[in-house]
């Protein structure tokens, strides 16, 4: 099987990301870190699912082209607001979705839905950055939530990666 990685909120070429990611002195450092550290391990036989707000500024297209893997984009709320349009992504990403049903029990969306609308699914999402919904049915793969790393699909399937775990009760 193809190695599969998920991540959200790369905010490539997005100057507004520096307001929240104060550890980066400039957008250049930010984008270099995301590309040279977070995405550097991607290989041609990998699948990268970008869970929204990954390709924000126009220059993000050239940055993401450098990675030889298959690319699935779940569109986020910032994806198309700074000059990128669907036509720009042809030949750059392999698939574009607003939401994606995965492995029968997961829905992948950028913005997590209200808990009343889960329909028995676990939600893999971004959008909230470091905010963790205190509900094990929500899995946040934003860079801030993952410690600035991609999450392997296998970690989600096995339950090894969860952004929230029900606290164990001491007896």
């Amino acid at each position: 099987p193809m190695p599969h990685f998920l991540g959200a909120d790369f905010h490539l070429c997005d100057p507004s990301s520096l307001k929240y990611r104060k550890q980066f002195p400039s957008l250049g450092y930010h984008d270099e870190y995301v590309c040279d550290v977070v995405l550097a391990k991607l290989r041609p036989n990998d699948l990268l699912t970008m869970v929204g707000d990954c390709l924000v500024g126009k220059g993000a297209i050239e940055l993401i082209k450098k990675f030889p893997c298959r690319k699935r984009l779940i569109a986020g709320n910032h994806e198309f607001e700074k000059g990128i349009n669907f036509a720009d992504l042809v030949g750059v990403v392999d698939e574009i979705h607003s939401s994606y049903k995965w492995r029968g029990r997961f829905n992948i969306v950028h913005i997590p839905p209200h808990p009343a609308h889960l329909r028995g699914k676990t939600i893999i999402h971004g959008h909230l950055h470091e905010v963790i919904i205190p509900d094990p049915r929500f899995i946040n793969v934003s860079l801030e939530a993952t410690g600035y790393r991609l999450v392997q699909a296998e970690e989600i399937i096995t339950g090894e990666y969860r952004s929230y775990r029900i606290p164990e009760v001491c007896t």
Side-chain angles (χ1 to χ4, degrees):
M2 175 183 301
H4 181 188
F5 299 89
L6 299 98
D9 298 296
F10 301 166
H11 283 271
L12 290 171
C13 298
D14 180 5
S16 65
S17 62
L18 297 178
K19 286 189 270 186
Y20 310 102
R21 296 178 174 168
K22 297 187 184 306
Q23 70 270 40
F24 298 105
S26 70
L27 185 57
Y29 277 104
H30 172 271
D31 291 350
E32 187 177 317
Y33 185 86
V34 173
C35 291
D36 295 353
V37 177
V38 178
L39 303 176
K41 297 174 185 77
L42 294 168
R43 299 292 172 252
N45 65 332
D46 294 343
L47 168 61
L48 171 63
T49 296
M50 296 177 281
V51 188
D53 289 0
C54 291
L55 312 176
V56 179
K58 201 92 160 138
I61 302 241
E62 290 308 312
L63 292 177
I64 207 70
K65 273 184 187 176
K66 296 176 187 173
F67 298 96
C69 62
R70 288 204 44 207
K71 299 168 196 89
R72 174 186 294 142
L73 176 64
I74 311 304
N77 56 303
H78 293 300
E79 231 77 52
F80 301 107
E81 69 181 16
K82 293 188 177 158
I84 293 177
N85 59 50
F86 278 95
D88 295 326
L89 296 170
V90 173
V92 176
V93 297
D94 300 282
E95 305 172 33
I96 303 172
H97 304 269
S98 57
S99 66
Y100 188 81
K101 289 180 177 23
W102 180 58
R103 301 188 66 94
R105 61 190 178 125
F106 299 100
N107 278 350
I108 306 174
V109 295
H110 180 62
I111 300 174
H114 187 279
H117 300 282
L118 298 186
R119 298 189 174 113
K121 302 280 192 233
T122 297
I123 304 298
I124 299 169
H125 69 89
H127 186 65
L128 301 179
H129 294 258
E130 74 284 347
V131 175
I132 304 301
I133 298 171
D135 182 327
R137 300 173 299 172
F138 292 89
I139 301 171
N140 186 346
V141 295
S142 292
L143 290 184
E144 289 89 344
T146 66
Y148 286 84
R149 71 176 184 92
L150 296 175
V151 175
Q152 291 189 37
E154 198 61 30
E155 295 176 273
I156 292 173
I157 295 163
T158 64
E160 183 182 336
Y161 176 79
R162 287 293 185 267
S163 50
Y164 174 79
R165 295 188 183 277
I166 297 171
E168 293 183 27
V169 179
C170 297
T171 54

